[in-house]
């Protein structure tokens, strides 16, 4: 891998350390799945355990950096210059059901811009990473977005809505419009991996509403460095951590955007 900033080295090391206990926890799930109590509580403690390892590792090097995490919230709030954005397990529902489609996701932000990031699926042993100006990688191989130009031939991913969503009808009608105009739609349950899969050409595009910044922070730089395009729509300036994302190979970006805005493609 040709990435060598101190931040990417730190993130990679923290991910490798946290993944050891995460892999052990994943092994436990199968037993708990069939127990009376079920794996629910165990999974939320696995989430917290993973996050603690990540925070401890990153803080050892930079105790002063800001951190935004899913489980703990914000640490060192006043430092908005250097921040880690962490989701310890993205794809918790998959993890809970023994489905190996989940990842640790960590982005590093400097002056409001994501400079590097790692998305690591420890079960598949797939580490997606990127650093501004130095390309994106899957393990040791350089990755690039797909070359597809026609939305009709595209494989698109999405996610949601949550059961509690107040805009379910809107999300379902977008889904219908997109699925009527593309080759097929997938819903794999990890936003971080969905973006990473666009970056390496497995998907041609991905859109989703009602995400949080930690779901996709690392994905932003990985996709950009792989030649893709990412864009956030209908942003609410009062809720900067809430995101609606459109992430594509860049060729089909405008076409997917039109479909989300309810126009059929001729
Ligand atoms: C979730 C996953 C999922 C997406 C949800 C997210 P979590 O994150 O990324 O794919 O549809 O909106 O909240 O809860 O597994 O970290
Ligand atoms: Ca998440
Ligand atoms: Ca999570």
């Amino acid at each position: 891998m040709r990435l060598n900033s101190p931040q990417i080295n730190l993130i990679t090391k923290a991910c490798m350390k946290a993944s050891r206990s995460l892999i052990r926890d994943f092994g436990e799930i199968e037993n708990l799945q069939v127990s009376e109590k079920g794996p629910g509580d165990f999974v939320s403690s696995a989430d917290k355990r993973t996050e603690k390892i990540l925070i401890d590792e990153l803080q050892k090097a930079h105790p002063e950096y800001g951190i935004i995490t899913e489980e703990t919230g914000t640490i060192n709030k006043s430092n908005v210059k250097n921040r880690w954005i962490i989701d310890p397990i993205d794809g918790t529902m998959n993890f809970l059901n023994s489905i190996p489609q989940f990842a640790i996701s960590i982005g590093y932000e400097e002056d409001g811009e994501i400079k590097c990031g790692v998305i690591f699926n420890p079960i598949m042993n797939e580490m997606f990473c990127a650093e501004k100006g130095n390309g994106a990688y899957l393990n040791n191989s350089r990755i690039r977005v797909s070359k597809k130009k026609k939305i009709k031939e595209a494989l698109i991913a999405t996610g949601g809505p949550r059961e509690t969503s107040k805009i379910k009808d809107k999300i379902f009608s977008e889904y219908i419009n997109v699925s009527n105009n593309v080759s097929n739609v997938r819903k794999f349950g990890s936003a971080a991996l969905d973006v990473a899969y666009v970056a390496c050409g497995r998907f041609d595009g991905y859109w989703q509403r009602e995400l949080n910044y930690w779901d996709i922070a690392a994905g932003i730089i990985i996709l950009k460095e792989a030649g893709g395009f990412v864009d956030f729509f209908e942003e609410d300036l009062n809720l900067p951590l809430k995101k609606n994302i459109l992430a594509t190979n860049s060729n089909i970006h405008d076409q997917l955007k039109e479909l989300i805005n309810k126009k059929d493609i001729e």
Side-chain angles (χ1 to χ4, degrees):
M1 208 182 303
R2 280 160 235 140
L3 306 181
N4 52 22
S5 70
Q7 284 82 9
I8 200 94
N9 290 335
L10 261 171
I11 304 178
T12 314
K13 214 173 122 223
C15 271
M16 293 313 287
K17 183 160 187 198
S19 68
R20 288 197 279 277
S21 73
L22 199 51
I23 291 167
R24 271 199 305 276
D25 289 344
F26 188 67
E28 274 297 299
I29 301 276
E30 245 169 71
N31 303 329
L32 292 164
Q33 209 73 260
V34 290
S35 77
E36 285 275 296
K37 206 164 153 245
D41 289 346
F42 178 80
V43 168
S44 65
S45 56
D47 244 326
K48 294 197 177 82
R49 212 170 16 248
T50 309
E51 186 167 295
K52 185 169 183 322
I53 297 171
L54 296 172
I55 292 175
D56 287 352
E57 280 300 298
L58 296 172
Q59 279 192 325
K60 262 191 225 162
H62 292 291
E64 77 287 6
Y65 277 18
I67 305 184
I68 297 176
T69 66
E70 177 165 24
E71 304 298 325
T72 315
T74 307
I75 298 171
N76 294 339
K77 210 172 192 162
S78 60
N79 189 348
V80 290
K81 186 176 167 47
N82 311 93
R83 298 200 292 195
W84 307 112
I85 321 290
I86 303 177
D87 192 343
I89 306 180
D90 183 68
T92 312
M93 190 55 94
N94 286 339
F95 186 79
L96 180 67
N97 287 280
S98 295
I99 300 169
Q101 180 75 3
F102 60 87
I104 297 172
S105 173
I106 308 178
Y108 169 66
E109 195 199 69
E110 215 172 81
D111 297 318
E113 188 192 358
I114 298 285
K115 290 287 164 86
C116 62
V118 169
I119 297 171
F120 183 42
N121 178 338
I123 308 301
M124 311 293 274
N125 195 24
E126 288 195 328
M127 182 175 279
F128 298 87
C129 54
E131 195 174 81
K132 191 175 176 189
N134 284 333
Y137 290 81
L138 165 51
N139 297 338
N140 289 313
S141 305
R142 186 84 190 254
I143 50 172
R144 294 227 134 257
V145 290
S146 72
K147 292 202 163 53
K148 246 175 249 170
K149 290 200 166 74
K150 292 186 186 147
I151 191 89
K152 295 257 182 219
E153 291 165 10
L155 181 61
I156 303 295
T158 191
R162 282 170 185 279
E163 208 232 325
T164 50
S165 171
K166 295 198 173 64
I167 53 163
K168 277 187 186 164
D169 289 349
K170 191 178 193 165
I171 291 173
F172 288 138
S173 79
E174 269 172 13
Y175 185 96
I176 291 170
N177 204 42
V178 172
S179 69
N180 276 335
N181 286 281
V182 304
S183 170
N184 225 317
V185 183
R186 294 285 183 269
K187 196 161 170 279
F188 279 7
S190 161
L193 288 173
D194 288 338
V195 180
Y197 281 20
V198 179
C200 69
R202 292 177 186 168
F203 293 143
D204 306 300
Y206 163 66
W207 95 102
Q208 185 169 347
R209 288 178 183 269
E210 301 188 309
L211 289 171
N212 291 297
Y213 189 34
W214 49 78
D215 298 318
I216 40 77
I220 295 173
I221 186 73
I222 295 170
L223 181 60
K224 280 186 184 166
E225 287 294 321
F229 194 69
V230 56
D231 162 19
F232 299 101
F233 57 100
E234 295 173 27
E235 289 206 84
D236 180 345
L237 297 178
N238 296 317
L239 297 170
L241 297 182
K242 297 283 165 203
K243 302 283 179 198
N244 301 314
I245 193 176
L246 180 58
T248 67
N249 67 1
S250 111
N251 291 336
I252 61 155
H253 202 85
D254 292 344
Q255 299 170 72
L256 186 57
K257 197 172 217 163
E258 279 185 32
L259 291 178
I260 290 164
N261 292 331
K262 284 240 157 107
K263 286 189 205 119
D264 279 345
I265 299 291
E266 296 302 310

